[in-house]
Amino acid sequence: MAHESSGAIYTAAGANLAIAVAKFVGAFFTGSSAMLAEGVHSVVDTANQILLLVGLKRAQRPADARFPFGYGREVYFYAFLVALLIFLGGGAFAVYEGIHKLQHPEPAADAVILGRTIPGYVVNLAILGFAVAAEGYSCFVALKAFWGEKGKLPPVTAIRRSKDPALFTVLVEDVAALTGLVVAIGGVVLAETLDQPAYDGIASIVIGLILIGMAIFLMIETHGLLVGEAAEPELVGAIHEIVRSEPGVNHVNEVLTQHLGPADILVNVSLDIDDRLTGGEIERLVSQLEARMKARSPKVRRVFIEIQARHAAASPAERPSPVPAA
């Protein structure tokens, strides 16, 4: 899915850059705080896409002596930075600007363009309309890529279980941006029709709260990936079945999995095997298990198999109590 992620990110970056320029022009001519907040939001989004691309690029570096398991988690780190930037650079600024507007409400100033005076709210609506179109296309591209990955899972469940933060971060950003644009349009319309400039500030605060909520959600999701999430339950269950079905395996003591990157899974298996197996037979057993696991999922890159007696692998609570000496 790296190609799908990159395509969605490039589309989002281009759209957000164009939208940011348009919003700042509108804010300059009309003095709209909601428009200014939206402009900062678009700049932050553009910077976020650049960070995600940097993370994807750095994650592709091969393993070395210092990082023997590779750099796959780089994309998780940069995704967490993106969430932090959205919280501080987007949400917090929008709330601050909205509060300032409530304290000093001013109607949108008319814009003089090519010698013609155009009402400020018309300029704002035109720019917001352009932003909705550009952001909508970006959201469509991200949604198409995400829909291809999620399979039959519900969207929220798919996001919670996705190990590709670059893709779901762009999607969540675009959805939040479209929601923010709708709020901004509502604020501009209410401020003009009711002659209450304070609605512009209220819209800015609501946009900020939307961004903060989205940022917290992304922080929670990327935090788990940074710490080290297990593979999806279906794959873990399939690994259990593969190991149990192999002749010579008496018991599966433990199956541990961890994502080292969106498409890089580490598998560690502890087995109790038949004591009658020879050294050569054990080697063939291990090779067969590794091949079957990697065939089950191309994301399984590293497999470690530990041969251990069942009672030795059991936790202290599971081990039988020692028999007291006579």
Side-chain angles (χ1 to χ4, degrees):
M1 291 302 296
H3 174 71
E4 297 287 350
S5 299
S6 297
I9 294 171
Y10 279 118
T11 301
N16 283 318
L17 186 59
I19 292 169
V21 173
K23 288 175 179 176
F24 280 130
V25 170
F28 174 78
F29 282 116
T30 65
S32 170
S33 63
M35 186 67 72
L36 180 61
E38 277 292 314
V40 172
H41 173 201
S42 296
V43 169
V44 171
D45 280 352
T46 305
N48 290 342
Q49 269 87 61
I50 294 173
L51 283 174
L52 288 175
L53 289 171
V54 170
L56 287 174
K57 183 69 175 178
R58 292 178 63 86
Q60 294 172 359
R61 291 181 296 169
D64 52 33
R66 186 180 179 190
F67 294 95
F69 290 106
Y71 294 82
R73 284 185 179 168
E74 287 268 18
V75 68
Y76 299 155
F77 169 74
Y78 280 92
F80 190 83
L81 283 184
V82 165
L84 190 61
L85 275 176
I86 294 172
F87 184 90
L88 297 176
F93 177 82
V95 171
Y96 167 79
E97 185 64 23
I99 293 174
H100 177 74
K101 185 71 174 185
L102 287 177
Q103 294 173 339
H104 308 283
E106 295 178 2
D110 293 340
V112 179
I113 301 176
L114 299 177
R116 293 187 176 183
T117 301
I118 302 176
Y121 80 95
V122 173
V123 175
N124 285 337
L125 289 177
I127 292 174
L128 289 172
F130 164 75
V132 168
E135 201 71 65
Y137 175 72
S138 173
C139 187
F140 170 77
V141 173
L143 189 61
K144 183 179 178 181
F146 174 74
W147 221 258
E149 179 186 303
K150 82 176 190 65
K152 298 180 179 179
L153 294 174
V156 175
T157 303
I159 291 175
R160 297 299 307 271
R161 291 173 58 173
S162 174
K163 312 302 178 184
D164 186 357
L167 185 56
F168 70 69
T169 296
V170 171
L171 177 61
V172 173
E173 269 188 352
D174 286 344
V175 171
L178 283 173
T179 305
L181 287 169
V182 171
V183 172
I185 290 173
V188 170
V189 171
L190 288 175
E192 176 63 25
T193 56
L194 300 179
D195 195 22
Q196 293 288 336
Y199 280 105
D200 191 45
I202 294 173
S204 181
I205 293 174
V206 173
I207 292 169
L209 294 177
I210 291 171
L211 294 178
I212 289 173
M214 180 192 67
I216 292 173
F217 173 76
L218 291 176
M219 284 180 182
I220 292 172
E221 292 304 308
T222 52
H223 169 263
L225 294 171
L226 272 174
V227 173
E229 284 189 3
E232 57 269 19
E234 291 81 5
L235 179 57
V236 176
I239 292 173
H240 271 279
E241 289 299 322
I242 288 172
V243 178
R244 280 197 295 263
S245 66
E246 193 70 27
V249 175
N250 291 335
H251 184 261
V252 182
N253 300 324
E254 195 170 31
V255 173
L256 300 176
T257 62
Q258 187 175 98
H259 265 271
L260 303 178
D264 186 356
I265 297 175
L266 168 69
V267 177
N268 193 343
V269 181
S270 172
L271 303 177
D272 182 358
I273 64 173
D274 190 338
D275 294 336
R276 294 170 295 180
L277 294 179
T278 65
E281 290 171 333
I282 294 174
E283 288 180 355
R284 286 191 292 273
L285 170 65
V286 170
S287 297
Q288 177 72 9
L289 286 173
E290 181 176 357
R292 291 180 64 188
M293 290 179 200
K294 290 182 177 179
R296 173 60 177 76
S297 173
K299 294 181 180 181
V300 175
R301 302 283 183 85
R302 298 169 179 83
V303 178
F304 296 93
I305 298 178
E306 180 182 12
I307 308 301
Q308 192 175 23
R310 180 175 182 178
H311 66 84
S315 65
E318 296 172 332
R319 293 173 187 167
S321 301
V323 178

